[in-house]
């Protein structure tokens, strides 16, 4: 069974990281002082998105998914 790693292009992954940083800044600026845990949940989610996108962009093994093809598939 052959398997292929699917990796986003560097520009797309960096764009996702920049978007995640923008959302993180917005959440922290508008949410600090409200005293609820939802702001910190959003902040943690944004940090995860940024980290995942940077890993996918710059890691040699930064594949976001693996596609497997069975030997009976013809393409």
């Amino acid at each position: 069974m052959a398997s292929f790693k699917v990796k986003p292009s560097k520009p797309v992954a960096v764009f996702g990281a920049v978007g995640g940083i923008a959302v993180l800044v917005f959440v922290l600026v508008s949410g600090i002082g409200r005293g609820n845990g939802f702001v910190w949940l959003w902040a943690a989610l944004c940090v995860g998105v940024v980290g995942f996108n940077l890993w996918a962009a710059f890691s040699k093994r930064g594949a976001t998914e693996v596609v497997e093809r069975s030997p009976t598939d013809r393409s």
Side-chain angles (χ1 to χ4, degrees):
M1 190 178 308
S3 65
F4 304 93
K5 293 182 178 179
V6 180
K7 184 176 178 177
S9 65
K10 277 190 184 183
V12 170
V14 170
F15 182 74
V18 170
I21 291 170
V23 172
L24 178 64
V25 168
F26 175 77
V27 164
L28 291 177
V29 168
S30 66
I32 294 288
R34 292 192 181 186
N36 63 12
F38 189 68
V39 171
W40 300 112
L41 179 64
W42 261 102
L45 179 70
C46 290
V47 168
V49 166
V50 170
F52 180 75
N53 276 293
L54 290 176
W55 170 75
F58 298 110
S59 174
K60 290 189 186 280
R61 298 177 50 128
T64 57
E65 62 182 288
V66 175
V67 178
E68 292 184 358
R69 193 175 80 186
S70 70
T72 59
D73 289 343
R74 296 178 190 228
S75 348

